Amino acid sequence: MGSYEREQELIAQGKAQRGYTALGYFKELDAEISEEASKLTHRPDYTRTLFAPENDDIYREFCAYVDLPKPRYFDAIEDPIRVEGFSAADAYFSMKSKNDRIVAIDGAAVYNTLCNLRKNPEIYRKVLSFRPTCYQAGCGAKDAAFDAGYYD
């Protein structure tokens, strides 16, 4: 039995609410983060996206991701969901590869992006393909302006 099924049993017994698995995952993440770094992080409210009933398929896959042994990898999910052509692994790669300042992206953020991609595909396709025009206030190989040929 996976975490999704355990969560559903607890909900049926009145001992938990939807998102119980994610809250446990967040406690796990928070236990691993330094006090200094914890002051720089924030966690959005996922009730209208990841925990919403219309995104149950995405939430189920998120729970399957949580069930993976550490270190967890998005491409370890068997038969992944694709939203607008993106799997969780694709979304993670798009988010991480275009900005070296991003140190870590948690699983909930990646799956939340899939929910938002489903709801607002035009906007979130742009979000996932976004490249800063001036990477770290300088111009270089990961800079969209550099790629466009504005700088040598």
Side-chain angles (χ1 to χ4, degrees), residues 141-152:
K142 287 195 172 185
D143 179 318
F146 182 86
D147 287 348
Y150 297 133
Y151 305 99
D152 292 327

Side-chain angles (χ1 to χ4, degrees), residues 83-84 86 117 120-130:
V83 178
E84 295 292 319
F86 286 88
L117 185 61
N120 297 308
E122 303 82 25
I123 294 171
Y124 278 84
R125 270 192 249 114
K126 289 179 184 178
V127 167
L128 289 172
S129 64
F130 175 77

